[in-house]
C-alpha cells in the first residue's frame, strides 16, 4: 500500500510539472499584462514607467526564460512573487486557503450527507409521492443558476429576515476569540456553504437514487431477501454500500475542484477565498498568482484522485487485493 | 409426507410481456426427503414458480390464482413479516449465478452469519464458528481462509458451495435450487450434485431442483415435472418420465440430448493438413506494474497439432484451461508469444497489417454468445455483407450472397432487413454461422458455439453445422466444454488442462478408452451416463441421430 | 425505436420536459419573425414593471428595452449556445475517448493525461481564463464552454468503448477484415450512442447554465441578447426590479429542467441496464 | 463634535498595496490617504489649505516655493518628521516610483531643506499648476528613515505602511478587510475623532448594497455600488448622499475616436458621432442625474474651464447630416465599453443604439480590464469609452490627452485618439509656463474652443460619483479630494 501511494505520488509530481508548463503557456496567451494594468491604474502616461515595471516583473525576458525560472522555483515549492500585491504568491494563497477549504469542505460534507440521505429516501419510496417530491426539489436546485440561488438566499435570510449575515467570513471589528469566534464564522458560513452545497446535493441525490435502484435489482439482493433479512438491513448493508461506489467517484471529482471551484459563491458572499483571488488575478493578469492557484488546484485534484483510489481500495475489496 | 403443496397457481406478468402469465394453473406436491426436478426450456416458468414459493417475485409480477400451502398455511396470503420468518429458516434457496448472488463487498463469513442474525439466533461469535462448520460441511477446502475471503477470491464452484452453506445454515425443511450448476463446468457440477444428494439424505430435506439438463435430472431426481410455456405438461417418477416420456414435448427434449459416440466417423488423417500448429504459446500477465508482481497465466502452453482438410477437431477441457485462447491465437485475435500457425504454407502467427488481413478471410470464427456476437445496431444484411465488402466484393453481390447464406442456414432471405433483437437465440446463432461463411473460409473455429442454447435448439444447430461442413468441405475446430457434444461432431479430440494438451486422439478412442486421468475425470463427471445407457437399452438406438 | 419512444413517454416527467423544450424551440425558431421588436431598441421609460404598459407585457429593463423581445430573441441564443457547444464538445470528446478506449496502451495514456490536464483546473475557472484569452464573443463563449465540457464525454466514451470493444461482434468485425476506423465508427460508436445522447442532453443544460454564470461575471457577448446576458445585466437591479432577473431566470430554469427530465427519460428508454425488465 | 466610534467603509476593488508612494491607484489612495499626507490639501474650489505645511510662499518670478512645516509631527513609528523626509520623498523616492509626479518634477531644479521645518522647491522655469500638485495622492510624503538606501518596490515595510496621517495601519486581512486605528499622537490636538476605521472588501456590488442596508458599513464611497442602486439606497432612513469630494479629480468621461485610421479620421464622421449621442438620457437613466453634460475637454470643476464653447449637443438630425457628408460607408465600428461594471456596459449599449439610429454600424467588443488596456494602448478600436482625472488643472490632467508629443502606442492614458494640432500644442505649452491666471485663462479658453471645433474625441459627462453615508456621520467630505483625503475631520454623531 505504501509503495502504491509512493509510486502514485511520484507519478503525480511528474504530471504536475507537465500541467504547470501547459498552464504557463495558457495564461501567457491572454492579451494584456500586469504592467499595463498597473500603469493604467496609476494613470501613468510614460512608457518608461511601464518598461520599468516589466523589467521588475521579469516580463521583458523571453517567455522560455520566464518559464524556466518559474519551473525552477516551483520545483522548490516557491511559487514566485506577486508584484502587483507585493507578496509572495505562496503566502497569498495560504492566507486565502483556509477560508476556501472551510467553505468548500463544509459544502462538500453538506452535499454528500444531504444528497445520500435524500437519495436513499427517494429510492426506498420509488414511485411514491415522497420520491417525486425529493426528485423534483433536487431537479429544481440542479437546474437553477447557482448565483441566482445565492442572490435570493442572501436577500431572504439576510436582508428580509435578518437571520444570518449575508456576506463575509466573520463579523469585522468584533474581535471575537475562541469559541465565540468559531460560532461567528459558522453563522457566516451557513448561507454560502448551503448555496454551494445545494447544487451538488442535487447531483448526489440523483446519483444515489439511481445507483440504489440499480443495485437493488442485482442478484445478491435477492439472496439477502432469501435469507429473511429485514428490508432496512438489506437497504443499508447490501444495497447502499454497493451503491456508494459511483458516488465515491463523483465525490472525488468534486473534492478535486475544492480549490477555486467556488468563484461565484465567493463573489456573491464576499468570501475571502481562493476562487475570488483567482478571478481578480485573471483580470489583472497577475500571472504568478494565477499559476500558483492553478498549481495548488491541480495538486488538489491529483491528491483527491489518490484519496479516491485509496478509498475505493478500502471500500471495494476486489481492488484492494488485486493491487 | 407432503410438506409443501401448490394448487392451481397462476402468476401474471405485467402488461407488454411476451405472454400474459408466467405460470398457469400449476399444481405440485413435495414430500419430505424428496428431490423434485423441474425441467423445461428457457422461459417456461421454472424460476417464477420457485420465486413464488419464497415470496420473491420480481416487481410487477404477482400471483393471481391458487395457493401455496406450507405447514397448513397459505403463503400467498401470508404477510411480508411471516414470509420473512420462513425465508432462510424453513425454506432455503440457491440461485443459478454464483458470481452475482453474493455481495461483492462482504466477507463470506459475514454473509453466512447474516442468516443467523436475520432470525436473531446465536451470538455473533457463535455465528462465526457455525459458519466455519458449515463451510467445512459443504466441503470447501481451507474453510478458515474462505471465511475471511471475499466472493471474488473464490472460484465459481466454491462460491456455489458458499451459497449452499448459506441456504443450509438453519437446516430448512425445503431447499429450492434454481439451476445451481448451469454456470459450472462438469467436474464441479458433479461435486455439487453429490453434495446436495448427501445433504438430502443426511437431513431428510425436501429439494426442488430446477434445471434444463436431463443428465442432471437422471442423476438426482426422484420425481420430475416438465414445464412448457408456463404449464406442467408431464409429471411422474424420474424413471417413468425419462425413459417412457408420454408428452411429445418431453420426447422432443429427450431426443435432443446429444449422446456420446454419435455416428461413426471416417478417418480424414489422410487428407492434406490445411492448418499446422507448432509450439504455440501464450502467456498472460496481468496486474503487474511498479507495485506488485504480475499474475502470470500460461494460457496456452506449447500446443502442436495438424488440422486436415474436411476434419473436425474438438478441443475440450474445463473452464480456464486455455481453449478459447488457443482458438483466438489461431485467428490472431490474440497475438501468440511464440509458435507457428501455418496455413497453406503461410505463418499466420507472424503476419501483420495488410498480409494478415488478406489471409485472415480463410479462417473464420463462430462465437459463443448469440446475443453479444451480433451488433444490435446493424441489420442482418449489413452484418453479413460488411466482411465481403471490406474485401472488395460489390455490395449488391454481397447482399445476394447474404440472402443465399440465410437460406443455407435455414432462415428466410427476408431477414436481411431485420435487426438481431428480432430473432431468437437459435436463429441468431444461425446468423453468426452465416456471417462466418460469408467470407468463404476454409477453416471455421467454433468457440462454444452451442453452449448458450437450449438442448433442442442446440441439436438443430449441431445438425446444421454438420450439414454445412459436408456441403462446403470445411475444416473445423470445435471448442466446447461438453464432451458429449464433442463426441457427436468431432473426428478427433484434443483435451486441454491448464494450457497444455494432455490427450489427443480420435473421438472414439478418447471417449471410450481415455489414457489420461484428467480425461477420465472429465468423463466421469458427465451427468446421466447411466441414464443414457438405460435410454439406449430402452429404445435400442443412440440418443441422438445426426 | 417505437418501443423506445413508448418507454420514454411512459415517464411523465420526460413528457413534460419534451413539451417545454418543444415550446422553447418553437419560440426560438418562430419568435423573432413573429415578434420583430429589436431587443436592443430603447422603446420606453426604463424599469416599467410587467403588465403595466400596453404593448410591453413584460415591461422594460434598465435602458427601457422591451423585456419580452429580449426573452424571445434570447431563447435562440441560449439554445444555440447550449446546442452548439455541446456538439463541439462531442466533436472533441468522442474521438478522444474512442481512440483512447479502442487503442489502449500509450495512445490511451497520452490522451487521458491530456484529458486530465483539462480537469485539473476547475472548469468554471478554465472557462474564465479562456475568455480572458479570447475576449468574450458568442463564438468564443461557445468554444470555451465546449473546451471545458468535453473531458467527461471523453471519459464516458472511453469507458463505453473499453467495454464494447471486447464484445464478440467487434471481434467478428476484426475477423471480417474491417479496419480500425470502420470498426470504431460502425461497430463500437453506434452502440455507445444512447449513453452519449443522455449525457449530451444534460450537457446542453449545463452549457446554458454556464453561459448565464459567465454573463453574471460580465463575460457575456454584449452584441447578442441571451437569457444569461439578461440576468447578468439585471443582477445589479435585483432589489428594485426583481422581475428583470426573475423572468429570464425562470426561462433558464424551465429549459434546463426540461432538458434534464428528457435526459432521464432517455436514460430510462435507451439504457437497458436501468430499463425495467419485461417492459 | 464628538470623539470616538468606529467607521465602516467599503473599499472597491481591494487595493493591491497600501504604500501610496509606489501604488497610485484609486483604492490605494482611498485607504492610504488616511495614513500618508502631503504638504497641502485643497478646498472644493481647489484653493490650497495647510496640511503638513503650515504656510507657504511663492516668489514673484514663480520659481521658488517655500513651505513651512508643522511642528511636532511624528511618524507612526515614533520617529520625528522633518524637512529631510520631504526632500527625500520628492527628490529621491517619488522621482523613481511616481510616474505622474515625475512629469511635474521635470520642472523642478532643486529641493532643499534649509532647516528641519522648511522646504524650498526651486523650478527651472515657471510652471503654472505647480501649487496644485501637493495633494497626498500626487506627492505622498514617505519616511526617509525607512526607505533610504533600500529597494523601494520590494521593501518589507510596504506591507506595514508608516505615515504621518491621522490613522495608523493595524491589520489587513486580504480579501476581507483593512483595519486602521486612530493615531493618538496626531499633531492636531483632538483629531482625529474616530477611534477605528474598517475598509471592507466586498467584491459583488449587490452585496455591497446589502452591507449598507444591514448596517455593516456606514459609507459607500463613490463607485462602490452600481448607479442603479443609488436611488433606492438614498431613500433608506438616515441616509445622505453627496457628489462632493471629487473636484480635485474632476473625473471626465469621453469616447476615444481613433484618429489614426479608419472612418474616424474624417472630422465629419466624428461630428456625426458627437451629435448622435444622447448624453442627457445617459445622465438621467444611468447616472441618476448626478454629474453634468461635458461641454468640452476641461471639466467645469477644473480650473480655467470655459463654458462657452461650440455646441456639441445631442442632435440626431445634425448627426445624420454630418454622416451624409462624411466618407463613412457602412463599416462596422468597434466600440469598446469601459470594463468597470454594469453602468458602463449599459452606457455602451445605449450609445451603440444611438449610433445605429443615425446610420452607423456598431459592434461592442467585450474585454476585461487588461484586454481593454491593451486594445486601447494599441489603438485597436474605432470608438472606446474612457474617463480620466483632471487633477484640478488643465496642465496636469487635460493636456496629456491632446498634445502630439503624447502620441505613443503602449499606454491607454496618453493621446490615444492621435489628435494632432501643432497650433494648439503651442498654446498648451505657453499656458503651462505662464504664472498669471488671467493669461492662462485666455489661453485655455482658446484651446478649448479650438479642440471642440476639431472634435478629436466625443465628450460625454463630467461624472458625479455619489458618496452614500449615514447622516450621523459628519464632516465626511471636507476637501476637493473627499474621502480619498483622509477621515481626519470625520466624526459620528451619537
Ligand atoms: N422480472 C420479470 N418481469 C416480467 N416478466 C418476467 C420477469 N422475469 C421473467 N419474466 C417472464 O416470465 C416468464 C417465465 O420466466 P422464468 O424466469 O420463470 O423462466 P425459466 O423457466 O426460469 O427460464 P430460464 O431457464 O431461462 O431461467 C418468461 O416469459 C419471462 O419472460
Ligand atoms: N485477456 C486476458 N488477460 C489475462 N488473462 C486471461 C485473458 N484471457 C484469458 N485469460 C486467462 O487465461 C486462461 C485461459 O483462458 P481461456 O479463456 O482460454 O479458457 P477457456 O478454456 O476458454 O475457459 P472457458 O471454458 O471458461 O471459456 C484463464 O486462466 C484466464 O483467466
Ligand atoms: Mg430461470
Ligand atoms: Mg472460453
Amino acid at each position: 500500500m505504501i509503495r502504491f501511494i509512493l509510486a502514485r505520488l511520484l507519478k503525480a509530481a511528474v504530471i504536475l510539472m507537465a500541467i504547470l508548463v501547459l498552464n504557463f503557456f495558457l495564461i501567457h496567451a491572454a492579451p494584456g499584462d500586469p504592467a499595463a494594468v498597473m500603469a493604467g491604474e496609476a494613470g501613468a502616461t510614460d512608457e518608461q514607467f511601464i518598461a520599468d515595471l516589466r523589467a521588475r516583473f521579469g516580463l521583458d525576458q523571453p517567455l522560455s526564460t520566464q518559464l524556466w525560472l518559474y519551473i525552477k522555483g516551483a520545483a522548490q515549492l516557491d511559487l514566485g512573487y506577486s508584484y502587483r500585491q507585493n507578496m509572495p504568491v505562496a503566502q497569498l494563497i495560504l492566507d486565502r486557503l483556509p477560508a476556501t477549504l472551510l467553505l468548500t469542505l463544509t459544502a462538500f460534507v453538506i452535499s454528500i450527507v444531504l444528497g445520500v440521505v435524500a437519495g436513499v429516501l427517494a429510492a426506498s419510496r420509488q414511485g411514491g409521492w415522497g420520491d417525486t417530491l425529493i426528485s423534483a426539489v433536487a431537479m429544481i436546485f440542479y437546474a437553477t443558476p447557482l448565483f441566482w440561488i445565492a442572490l435570493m438566499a442572501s436577500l431572504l435570510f439576510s436582508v428580509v429576515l435578518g437571520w444570518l449575515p449575508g456576506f463575509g467570513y466573520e463579523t469585522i471589528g468584533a474581535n471575537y476569540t475562541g469559541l465565540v469566534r468559531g460560532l461567528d464564522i459558522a453563522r457566516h458560513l451557513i448561507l454560502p456553504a448551503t448555496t454551494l452545497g445545494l447544487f451538488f446535493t442535487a447531483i448526489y441525490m440523483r446519483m444515489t437514487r439511481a445507483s440504489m435502484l440499480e443495485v437493488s435489482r442485482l442478484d445478491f439482493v435477492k439472496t439477502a431477501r432469501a435469507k429473511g433479512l429485514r428490508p432496512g438491513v438489506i437497504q443499508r448493508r447490501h444495497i447502499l454500500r454497493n451503491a456508494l461506489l459511483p458516488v465515491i467517484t463523483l465525490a472525488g471529482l468534486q473534492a478535486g475542484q475544492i480549490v477555486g471551484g467556488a468563484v461565484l459563491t465567493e463573489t456573491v458572499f464576499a468570501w475571502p477565498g481562493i476562487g475570488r483571488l483567482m478571478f481578480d488575478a485573471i483580470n489583472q493578469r497577475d500571472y504568478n498568482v494565477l499559476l500558483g492557484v492553478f498549481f495548488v488546484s491541480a495538486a488538489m485534484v491529483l491528491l483527491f484522485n489518490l484519496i479516491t483510489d485509496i478509498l475505493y481500495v478500502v471500500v471495494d475489496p476486489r481492488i484492494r487485493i488485486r493491487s | 409426507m407432503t410438506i409443501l403443496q401448490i394448487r392451481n397457481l397462476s402468476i401474471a406478468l405485467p402488461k407488454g410481456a411476451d405472454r400474459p402469465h408466467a405460470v398457469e394453473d400449476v399444481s405440485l406436491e413435495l414430500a419430505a426427503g424428496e428431490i423434485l426436478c423441474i425441467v423445461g426450456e428457457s422461459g417456461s416458468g421454472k424460476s417464477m414458480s420457485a420465486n413464488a414459493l419464497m415470496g420473491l417475485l420480481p416487481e410487477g409480477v404477482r400471483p393471481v390464482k391458487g395457493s401455496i400451502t406450507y405447514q397448513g398455511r397459505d403463503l400467498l396470503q401470508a404477510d411480508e413479516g411471516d414470509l420473512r420468518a420462513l425465508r432462510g429458516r424453513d425454506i432455503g434457496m440457491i440461485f443459478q449465478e454464483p458470481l452475482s448472488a453474493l455481495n461483492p463487498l462482504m466477507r463470506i463469513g459475514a454473509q453466512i452469519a447474516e442468516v443467523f442474525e436475520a432470525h436473531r439466533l446465536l451470538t455473533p461469535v457463535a455465528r462465526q464458528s457455525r459458519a466455519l462448520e458449515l463451510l467445512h460441511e459443504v466441503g470447501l477446502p481451507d474453510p478458515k481462509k474462505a471465511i475471511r475471503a471475499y466472493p471474488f477470491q473464490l472460484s465459481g464452484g466454491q462460491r456455489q458451495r458458499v451459497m449452499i452453506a448459506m441456504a443450509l445454515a438453519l437446516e430448512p425443511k425445503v431447499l429450492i435450487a434454481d439451476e445451481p450448476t448451469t454456470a459450472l463446468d462438469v467436474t464441479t457440477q458433479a461435486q455439487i450434485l453429490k453434495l446436495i444428494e448427501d445433504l438430502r439424505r443426511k437431513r431428510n430435506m425436501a429439494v426442488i431442483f430446477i434445471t434444463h439438463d436431463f443428465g442432471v435430472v437422471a442423476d438426482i431426481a426422484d420425481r420430475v415435472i416438465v414445464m412448457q410455456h408456463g404449464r406442467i405438461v408431464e409429471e411422474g417418477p424420474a424413471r417413468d418420465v425419462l425413459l417412457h416420456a408420454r408428452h411429445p414435448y418431453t420426447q422432443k427434449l429427450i431426443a435432443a440430448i446429444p449422446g456420446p459416440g454419435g455416428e461413426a466417423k471416417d478417418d480424414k488423417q489422410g487428407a492434406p493438413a490445411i492448418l499446422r500448429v507448432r509450439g504455440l504459446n501464450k502467456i498472460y500477465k496481468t496486474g503487474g506494474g511498479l507495485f506488485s508482481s504480475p499474475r502470470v497465466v500460461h494460457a496456452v502452453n506449447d500446443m502442436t497439432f495438424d488440422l486436415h482438410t474436411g476434419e473436425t477437431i474438438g478441443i475440450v477441457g474445463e473452464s480456464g484451461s486455455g481453449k478459447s485462447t488457443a482458438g483466438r491465437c489461431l485467428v490472431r485475435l490474440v497475438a501468440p508469444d511464440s509458435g507457428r500457425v501455418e496455413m497453406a504454407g503461410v505463418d499466420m502467427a507472424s503476419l501483420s497489417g495488410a498480409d494478415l488481413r488478406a489471409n485472415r478471410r480463410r479462417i473464420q470464427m463462430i462465437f459463443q454468445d448469440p446475443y453479444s456476437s451480433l451488433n444490435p445496431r446493424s441489420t442482418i444484411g449489413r452484418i453479413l455483407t460488411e466482411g465481403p465488402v471490406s474485401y472488395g466484393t460489390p455490395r449488391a453481390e454481397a447482399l445476394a450472397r447474404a440472402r443465399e447464406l440465410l437460406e443455407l442456414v435455414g432462415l428466410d432471405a427476408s431477414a436481411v432487413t431485420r435487426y438481431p433483437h428480432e430473432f431468437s437465440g437459435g436463429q441468431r446463432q444461425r446468423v453468426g454461422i452465416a456471417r462466418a461463411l460469408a467470407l468463404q473460409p476454409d477453416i471455421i473455429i467454433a468457440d462454444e458455439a452451442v453452449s448458450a442454447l437450449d438442448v433442442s435448439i442446440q441439436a438443430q444447430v449441431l445438425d446444421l453445422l454438420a450439414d454445412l461442413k459436408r456441403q462446403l468441405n470445411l475444416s473445423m475446430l470445435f471448442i466446447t466444454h461438453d464432451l458429449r457434444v464433442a463426441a457427436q461432431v468431432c473426428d478427433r479430440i484434443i483435451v486441454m488442462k491448464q494450457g497444455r494438451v494432455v490427450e489427443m486422439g480420435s473421438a472414439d478412442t478418447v471417449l471410450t478408452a481415455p489414457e489420461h486421468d484428467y480425461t477420465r475425470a472429465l468423463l466421469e463427471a458427465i451427468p446421466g451416463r447411466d441414464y443414457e445407457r438405460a435410454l439406449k437399452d430402452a429404445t435400442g438406438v443412440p440418443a441422438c441421430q445426426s | 425505436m417505437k418501443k423506445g419512444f413508448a418507454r420514454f413517454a411512459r415517464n411523465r416527467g420526460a413528457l413534460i420536459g419534451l413539451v417545454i423544450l418543444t415550446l422553447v424551440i418553437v419560440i426560438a425558431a418562430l419568435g423573432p419573425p413573429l415578434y420583430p421588436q429589436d431587443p436592443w431598441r430603447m422603446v420606453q421609460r426604463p424599469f416599467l414593471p410587467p403588465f403595466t404598459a400596453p404593448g410591453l407585457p413584460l415591461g422594460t429593463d434598465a435602458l427601457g428595452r422591451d423585456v419580452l423581445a429580449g426573452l424571445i430573441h434570447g431563447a435562440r441564443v441560449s439554445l444555440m449556445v447550449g446546442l452548439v457547444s455541446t456538439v463541439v464538445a462531442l466533436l472533441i470528446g468522442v474521438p478522444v475517448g474512442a481512440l483512447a478506449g479502442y487503442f489502449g496502451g500509450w495512445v490511451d495514456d497520452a490522451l487521458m493525461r491530456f484529458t486530465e490536464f483539462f480537469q485539473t483546473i476547475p472548469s468554471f475557472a478554465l472557462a474564465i481564463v479562456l475568455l480572458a484569452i479570447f475576449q468574450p464573443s458568442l463564438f468564443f463563449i461557445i468554444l470555451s464552454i465546449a473546451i471545458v465540457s468535453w473531458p467527461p464525454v471523453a471519459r464516458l466514451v472511453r469507458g463505453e468503448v473499453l467495454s464494447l470493444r471486447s464484445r464478440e461482434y467487434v471481434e467478428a468485425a476484426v475477423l471480417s477484415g474491417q479496419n480500425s476506423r470502420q470498426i470504431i465508427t460502425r461497430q463500437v460508436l453506434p452502440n455507445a450512442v444512447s449513453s452519449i445522447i443522455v449525457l449530451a442532453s444534460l450537457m446542453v443544460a449545463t452549457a446554458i447554465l454556464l453561459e448565464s454564470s459567465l454573463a453574471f461575471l460580465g463575460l457575456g457577448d454584449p452584441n447578442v441578447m441571451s437569457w444569461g446576458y439578461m440576468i447578468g445585466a439585471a443582477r445589479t437591479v435585483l432589489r428594485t426590479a426583481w422581475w428583470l432577473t426573475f423572468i429570464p431566470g425562470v426561462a433558464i430554469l424551465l429549459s434546463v429542467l426540461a432538458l434534464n427530465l428528457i435526459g432521464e427519460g432517455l436514460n430510462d428508454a435507451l439504457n437497458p441496464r436501468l430499463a425495467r425488465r419485461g417492459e | 463634535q464628538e470623539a470616538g466610534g468606529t467607521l465602516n467603509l467599503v473599499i472597491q476593488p481591494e487595493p493591491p498595496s497600501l504604500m501610496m508612494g509606489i501604488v497610485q491607484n484609486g483604492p490605494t489612495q482611498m485607504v492610504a490617504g488616511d495614513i500618508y499626507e502631503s504638504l497641502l490639501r485643497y478646498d472644493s474650489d481647489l484653493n490650497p489649505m495647510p496640511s503638513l505645511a503650515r504656510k507657504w510662499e511663492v516668489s514673484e518670478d514663480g520659481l521658488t516655493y517655500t513651505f513651512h512645516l508643522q511642528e511636532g509631527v511624528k511618524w507612526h513609528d515614533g520617529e520625528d518628521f522633518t524637512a529631510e523626509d520631504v526632500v527625500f520623498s520628492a527628490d529621491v523616492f517619488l522621482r523613481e516610483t511616481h510616474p505622474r509626479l515625475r512629469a511635474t518634477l521635470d520642472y523642478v531644479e532643486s529641493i532643499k531643506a534649509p532647516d528641519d521645518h522648511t522646504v524650498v522647491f526651486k523650478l527651472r522655469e515657471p510652471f503654472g499648476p505647480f501649487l496644485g500638485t501637493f495633494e497626498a495622492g500626487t506627492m505622498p510624503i514617505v519616511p526617509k528613515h525607512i526607505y533610504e538606501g533600500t529597494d523601494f518596490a520590494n521593501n518589507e515595510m510596504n506591507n506595514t505602511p508608516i505615515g504621518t496621517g491621522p490613522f495608523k495601519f493595524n491589520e489587513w486581512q486580504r480579501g476581507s478587510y483593512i483595519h486602521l486605528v486612530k493615531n493618538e499622537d496626531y499633531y492636531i490636538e483632538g483629531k482625529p475623532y474616530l477611534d477605528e476605521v474598517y475598509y471592507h472588501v466586498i467584491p459583488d456590488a449587490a452585496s455591497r448594497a446589502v452591507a449598507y442596508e444591514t448596517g455593516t458599513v456606514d459609507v459607500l464611497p463613490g463607485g462602490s455600488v452600481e448607479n442603479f442602486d443609488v436611488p433606492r439606497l438614498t431613500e433608506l432612513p438616515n441616509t445622505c448622499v453627496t457628489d462632493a469630494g471629487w473636484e480635485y479629480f474632476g473625473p471626465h468621461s469621453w469616447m476615444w475616436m481613433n484618429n489614426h485610421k479608419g472612418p474616424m479620421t474624417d472630422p465629419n464622421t466624428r461630428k456625426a458621432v458627437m451629435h448622435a449621442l444622447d448624453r442627457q438620457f445617459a445622465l438621467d437613466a444611468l447616472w441618476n442625474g448626478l454629474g453634468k453634460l461635458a461641454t468640452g475637454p476641461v471639466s467645469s470643476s477644473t480650473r480655467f474651464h470655459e463654458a462657452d464653447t461650440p455646441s456639441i449637443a445631442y442632435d440626431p438630425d445634425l448627426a445624420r447630416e454630418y454622416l451624409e457628408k462624411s466618407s463613412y460607408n457602412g463599416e462596422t465600428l468597434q466600440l469598446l465599453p469601459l470594463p468597470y461594471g454594469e453602468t458602463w456596459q449599459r452606457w455602451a449599449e445605449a450609445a451603440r443604439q444611438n449610433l445605429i439610429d443615425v446610420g452607423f454600424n456598431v459592434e461592442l467588443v467585450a474585454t476585461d480590464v487588461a484586454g481593454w488596456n491593451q486594445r486601447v494602448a494599441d489603438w485597436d478600436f474605432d470608438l472606446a469609452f474612457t474617463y480620466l482625472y483632471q487633477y484640478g488643472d488643465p496642465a496636469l490632467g487635460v493636456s496629456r490627452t491632446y498634445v502630439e508629443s503624447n502620441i505613443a502606442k503602449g499606454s491607454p492614458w496618453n493621446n490615444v485618439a492621435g489628435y494632432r494640432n501643432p497650433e494648439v500644442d503651442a498654446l498648451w505649452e505657453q499656458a503651462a509656463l505662464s504664472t498669471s491666471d488671467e493669461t492662462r485663462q485666455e489661453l485655455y479658453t482658446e484651446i478649448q474652443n479650438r479642440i471642440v471645433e476639431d472634435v478629436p474625441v466625443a465628450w460625454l459627462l463630467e461624472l458625479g460619483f455619489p458618496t452614500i453615508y449615514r447622516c450621523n456621520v459628519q464632516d465626511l467630505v471636507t476637501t476637493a479630494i473627499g474621502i480619498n483625503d483622509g477621515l481626519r475631520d470625520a466624526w459620528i454623531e451619537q
Side-chain angles (χ1 to χ4, degrees), chain A residues 254-277:
Chain A
Q254 186 205 347
Q257 308 244 317
I258 264 181
V259 172
V263 182
L264 282 174
T265 317
E266 288 184 3
T267 301
V268 174
F269 291 104
W271 194 261
I274 296 276
R276 193 61 210 181
L277 178 70

Side-chain angles (χ1 to χ4, degrees), chain A residues 32 40 85 87 167 173 268 285, chain D residues 25 174 198 207 211 368 374 413:
Chain A
Q85 311 236 30
M87 279 231 195
F167 62 89
V268 174
R285 302 290 186 274
Chain D
N25 68 14
R174 283 186 189 255
Y198 283 95
S207 302
D368 60 2
Q374 171 138 358
W413 314 106

